[in-house]
Amino acid sequence: MSLAFDYDVIIVGAGVAGALCAYRLSQHPGARILIIDPGVNDVDMPQRMQYRKTFALTAQRNLGQIPTYMDLARDRYAPSVDGIDVTRYLVQTPPPPPATNPDNKALFKVPYQRITGGSTWSWRGNCPRFIPSDFKLKDSYFVGDNWPISYDDLEPWYCDAENELGIAGNDAEWGNDSSFVKQGIGGPRSKPFPMPNIVQGYSDRKIIAAIGDAMTIDGKKIEVISTPQARISDNTKYPDRSTCRGNSNCIPLCPTGAKYDAGVHLRKAFAKGVEIRRGSVVTRLEIAATGNVHTVVFRDWRQDPAKDQRLTAKIIVLAANAVESPKIWLFSGLGNKSDQVGRNLMDHLQTEIGGLFPEPIFTFRGPQGLSGIEVFRDGPFRKDSGAFRMTIGNDGWGRIEIPANSIDKLFFQNTPGPPLLGKAFRQKLADRLTRMMRISVSTEQLPNPENRITLSADKKDELGLPRPQVAYRVDDYSKKALENGYRVARTILEAISDKRDIKPDVLAAPQDFNTAAHAMGTLKMGGDPGKSVVNAFGRSHEHPNLYVAGSSVFVTSSTSNPTLTIGALALRTAAEIVKRL
Amino acid sequence: MSTGREIAMVDTAAFRKLSQAITGFDNLDQTIADAYAARIAEAFPKPLGDLMAAFAPVSGSPDLEAAVTKILTDNPKLVPMTRQIAEIWYTSQFTRDDGSSDPPQTEEQFKSGLLWKAIGAVAPAYSDRPYGYWKDKPASLG
């Protein structure tokens, strides 16, 4: 331990990456660790109940995932994207000419939470691993880029992360004898899942039966399998967490803590002596004469006026997200010889389609999604168009039509005649809502250096820090993936839903994409310091004591939800840091 | 349970009865009816008064749904008020004149939303059911 610094390690950001790093480093005897985070919230059950109450008493709660957290004073001083107005914080660059360019719609729509625990307060909990080809996309399909590590390099850390997050998964569907692995799509597993999969829903069983064993699209056999999830199916191994009670509210808030959030590891880290500076926004990282970064300058926004404070550490871990980490990097003037800082911003583009099943399938009960279709995540088509994952919704039509809108639609069904009311209305409403089924498509996006985070030259936040500016376009590769995914989803839906109800008004069209809320890239890892920002362990090429944890370091996006890979990489980075303590 | 009281000139027992005809749910809770009548009366005093006045003469009808439907057929201007009553009982919120939503006032109001009962579910974030209940269809609706 070095006494020349205030701490051995300062971690910037208390999301999943920062929490896992802090927890793992806290197990190193004597390590002095500090987390700096803008949130002022707790990560305990009373806090969760307060958020639940806020959720219940907030109107329009289904419009976005963020309103639950919007009553916080924090939002004034450490703002983020709220999922409703994507320009309230991000400065989106003007669309390029001509004005009719369809890319004009390509706003970067990812919302996130700058609170303690980060966006894991509000996520679905889906945790598939990346597949081997995701790490060597350029070698495999001549597009995108290659990671400096392989699936095999990360596999032990996937096991580690699955154990830490508490992943419930089905070994028969995802293990080495599964169709998923035998087809060469998924990578092998060295350990079973920590828990059996979350039991699939009545709706899943009905949909699986309707698809049957013989449906093939584009040469791929359509199989609906359970999705590995960071959610407790059996808490024998996780006695501090509840089993899932099926609250149908994973986004915006799991009220029981059955679904993983970063609070799990923050609580463990605090118990081991990790400290946290709450309400603290980093205003600068300072470069020492050695090239190292030892000093974190920050302001506690609760103070009036908020003055700069300074703390030092032997090692700094930047674990904000793929927008905030490059923002800090850029306004601190850290090294950028590769010119890759802020570049290669990615998201998973989403579209979805809804229909009515011939009989009630009773979604809105259980987690918001339990199953998916994984066979389109890889194949030779990736030379020309992106891969996609498909998920079967367990929440009606999701964003296509929230139940409150169904009420309006049915109530005025007889317009201009009298409204439908009473038992007839109730029956119609139940018939519509209980038969809703939804398939969503989530596509990969290629790294593109022109998709990037920079600093706004003139727009500042409340603390006077430059707001992040985003340049973002969607290329044909991703558009084709959206079109293919929509076509496949529609083909499935038309085959199994009540054809009388397949109407334009119940089918979303992919004219525009939605966000998966998966910000990735912007501080990419790589072996060549001239082409990447950090090395294969997340260590800065230019500042040897500065590490990055989080999806910022992703080289490609895969089709997988990123959290498990964030966790695996963060644990791997933490192990590397421990060697230097 | 409350037996109903007058809130801003609204007979809340009659409001509950009218609400049952509109929603299709019998045995609505009178305490919640009191609260909802107050919320709507504050936002829409005259439209609610007009609807209640039209309802009063038929409130003893054996087929209240048919009676209310006839009221609305004869006077379509009362339809929007009826819709607000449906909305508040099903979702515990309603839409103000300016288009904004009047949110639930208590967690109990939120939990009591008829929408979830109608489809065999529970109000989001307030499940009291055991792990895995979703693998079977609900035993009954409502």
Side-chain angles (χ1 to χ4, degrees):
Chain A
M1 302 304 133
S2 172
L3 297 178
F5 303 105
D6 298 314
Y7 292 91
D8 295 306
V9 183
I10 292 177
I11 298 168
V12 177
V16 60
L20 281 168
C21 272
Y23 162 68
R24 191 52 62 85
L25 294 173
S26 73
Q27 298 184 321
H28 187 76
R32 298 168 305 149
I33 300 157
L34 173 71
I35 300 172
I36 293 179
D37 190 76
V40 292
N41 58 294
D42 289 319
V43 289
D44 55 11
M45 189 53 78
Q47 177 70 73
R48 194 179 298 277
M49 292 299 96
Q50 182 188 324
Y51 281 153
R52 181 171 78 162
K53 184 173 181 180
T54 303
F55 160 75
L57 305 190
T58 302
Q60 304 286 332
R61 59 194 152 271
N62 287 321
L63 283 179
Q65 60 172 312
I66 307 300
T68 300
Y69 309 97
M70 283 296 289
D71 63 336
L72 300 173
R74 184 271 314 157
D75 193 61
R76 176 177 169 191
Y77 300 98
S80 58
V81 186
D82 67 358
I84 297 172
D85 177 3
V86 294
T87 63
R88 69 186 283 272
Y89 171 59
L90 295 181
V91 179
Q92 309 258 2
T93 53
T100 54
N101 187 331
D103 283 347
N104 288 355
K105 289 183 178 176
L107 295 174
F108 184 70
K109 302 174 182 177
V110 172
Y112 56 90
Q113 308 283 359
R114 289 174 72 184
I115 59 176
T116 306
S119 300
T120 55
W121 278 102
S122 185
W123 68 307
R124 285 272 162 93
N126 293 337
C127 278
R129 297 177 174 189
F130 277 30
I131 60 176
S133 56
D134 293 334
F135 294 92
K136 49 182 180 181
L137 197 58
K138 190 161 193 178
D139 282 352
S140 302
Y141 301 115
F142 314 109
V143 295
D145 205 347
N146 297 322
W147 290 57
I149 57 174
S150 68
Y151 174 89
D152 290 342
D153 292 329
L154 201 56
E155 202 283 334
W157 301 101
Y158 271 133
C159 294
D160 194 0
E162 286 174 343
N163 188 53
E164 291 297 340
L165 271 60
I167 306 298
N170 187 315
D171 291 308
E173 292 173 332
W174 293 83
N176 297 343
D177 293 329
S178 67
S179 164
F180 183 61
V181 175
K182 284 185 171 174
Q183 287 181 70
I185 301 174
R189 300 178 54 86
S190 63
K191 291 183 180 175
F193 287 106
M195 287 175 291
N197 63 285
I198 299 288
V199 62
Q200 287 170 293
Y202 182 77
S203 59
D204 297 297
R205 288 161 48 200
K206 284 288 179 183
I207 290 166
I208 289 169
I211 288 174
D213 293 329
M215 187 184 292
T216 300
I217 301 174
D218 293 353
K220 303 269 194 183
K221 184 172 183 296
I222 303 302
E223 286 181 288
V224 175
I225 63 176
S226 65
T227 304
Q229 305 190 327
R231 196 183 316 283
I232 302 297
S233 62
D234 174 354
N235 68 349
T236 308
K237 280 183 68 176
Y238 301 91
D240 296 339
R241 291 166 63 187
S242 162
T243 51
C244 178
R245 306 293 291 272
N247 277 281
S248 192
N249 205 58
C250 317
I251 294 176
L253 174 73
C254 172
T256 64
K259 185 192 69 184
Y260 176 82
D261 56 64
V264 169
H265 286 98
L266 289 173
R267 291 191 294 272
K268 290 181 179 180
F270 297 155
K272 294 286 281 185
V274 171
E275 298 174 31
I276 185 166
R277 287 291 188 112
R278 299 183 191 276
S280 297
V281 177
V282 171
T283 57
R284 193 165 66 255
L285 300 177
E286 290 185 350
I287 310 170
T290 58
N292 281 332
V293 175
H294 292 297
T295 305
V296 181
V297 185
F298 61 95
R299 291 180 205 158
D300 185 334
W301 56 258
R302 295 169 296 184
Q303 297 176 350
D304 184 21
K307 294 178 181 170
D308 279 351
Q309 301 178 59
R310 307 158 68 87
L311 287 169
T312 60
K314 182 179 180 184
I315 291 170
I316 307 292
V317 179
L318 192 50
N321 71 357
V323 175
E324 298 300 319
S325 285
K327 188 186 87 173
I328 292 170
W329 194 292
L330 288 167
F331 68 53
S332 298
L334 302 186
N336 189 13
K337 288 178 184 166
S338 67
D339 190 31
Q340 292 301 302
V341 173
R343 295 187 182 274
N344 305 298
L345 177 67
M346 297 174 282
D347 183 14
H348 293 134
L349 310 179
Q350 282 198 336
T351 188
E352 55 190 352
I353 181 167
L356 295 179
F357 204 73
E359 60 180 292
I361 53 175
F362 302 107
T363 65
F364 298 104
R365 302 176 319 127
Q368 290 166 327
L370 291 152
S371 305
I373 297 168
E374 310 288 342
V375 290
F376 296 97
R377 290 177 58 188
D378 200 17
F381 65 86
R382 287 175 90 184
K383 290 175 184 164
D384 303 311
S385 64
F388 52 93
R389 278 191 76 238
M390 310 176 79
T391 56
I392 309 296
N394 191 36
D395 56 351
W397 282 349
R399 291 178 277 203
I400 297 171
E401 179 183 306
I402 62 173
N405 291 346
S406 302
I407 290 173
D408 252 5
K409 192 168 282 186
L410 292 175
F411 192 79
F412 292 113
Q413 180 173 277
N414 296 336
T415 303
L420 190 67
L421 51 75
K423 291 192 167 45
F425 170 71
R426 175 181 165 182
Q427 187 178 0
K428 279 268 189 185
L429 185 69
D431 179 68
R432 184 175 179 89
L433 289 172
T434 60
R435 293 198 296 131
M436 284 180 170
M437 66 166 290
R438 175 177 65 85
I439 302 175
S440 72
V441 175
S442 187
T443 76
E444 71 178 324
Q445 183 172 24
L446 293 177
N448 175 353
E450 300 308 313
N451 286 346
R452 62 187 298 202
I453 298 290
T454 55
L455 303 175
S456 172
D458 57 347
K459 305 240 177 356
K460 311 275 188 197
D461 68 16
E462 193 77 14
L463 294 178
L465 299 169
R467 285 166 55 188
Q469 180 162 304
V470 187
Y472 187 72
R473 301 180 69 178
V474 175
D475 63 17
D476 288 343
Y477 188 82
S478 290
K479 287 179 187 167
K480 284 183 197 170
L482 275 171
E483 289 166 9
N484 285 335
Y486 183 84
R487 173 178 54 80
V488 171
R490 182 167 184 140
T491 302
I492 295 169
L493 192 134
E494 288 183 345
I496 66 172
S497 56
D498 188 334
K499 291 176 181 55
R500 292 169 301 177
D501 293 308
I502 297 284
K503 302 168 194 163
D505 68 323
V506 296
L507 296 172
Q511 300 99 343
D512 198 4
F513 61 88
N514 215 323
T515 175
H518 297 161
M520 297 168 284
T522 67
L523 295 168
K524 69 187 282 192
M525 65 162 54
D528 183 348
K531 296 179 179 175
S532 57
V533 182
V534 298
N535 72 9
F537 292 97
R539 178 177 168 176
S540 164
H541 290 307
E542 296 187 53
H543 307 291
N545 74 324
L546 175 63
Y547 288 80
V548 177
S551 57
S552 297
V553 304
F554 284 16
V555 178
T556 61
S557 71
S558 172
T559 48
S560 289
N561 312 61
T563 301
L564 185 71
T565 302
I566 292 172
L569 289 168
L571 291 167
R572 187 170 180 267
T573 293
E576 195 67 11
I577 293 171
V578 165
K579 295 176 187 170
R580 300 179 63 182
L581 292 178
Chain B
M1 175 188 277
S2 163
T3 55
R5 59 196 175 93
E6 287 199 354
I7 296 174
M9 305 300 288
V10 178
D11 175 348
T12 61
F15 177 81
R16 172 175 169 267
K17 210 168 181 181
L18 171 65
S19 297
Q20 290 179 168
I22 292 170
T23 61
F25 276 85
D26 301 328
N27 303 316
L28 294 180
D29 183 88
Q30 184 64 55
T31 304
I32 292 179
D34 292 350
Y36 287 173
R39 286 173 59 189
I40 290 186
E42 186 174 342
F44 301 104
K46 181 162 191 319
L48 181 60
D50 291 346
L51 180 60
M52 295 303 297
F55 178 66
V58 300
S59 63
S61 165
D63 187 346
L64 283 176
E65 288 184 19
V68 174
T69 299
K70 183 168 187 319
I71 289 171
L72 300 176
T73 304
D74 294 344
N75 190 352
K77 287 184 179 175
L78 298 175
V79 170
M81 189 68 263
T82 317
R83 175 203 167 280
Q84 300 284 14
I85 293 173
E87 185 182 354
I88 198 170
W89 279 103
Y90 272 89
T91 67
S92 60
Q93 60 185 33
F94 67 93
T95 309
R96 302 185 191 104
D97 252 352
D98 63 2
S100 64
S101 284
D102 190 283
Q105 289 181 331
T106 66
E107 290 174 281
E108 284 306 314
Q109 287 182 12
F110 175 72
K111 285 161 63 177
S112 73
L114 299 179
L115 172 61
W116 314 109
K117 290 187 175 79
I119 61 174
V122 290
Y126 288 86
S127 170
D128 55 359
R129 298 183 182 178
Y131 170 77
Y133 77 85
W134 53 87
K135 77 180 192 310
D136 300 312
K137 64 180 178 181
S140 63
L141 300 185

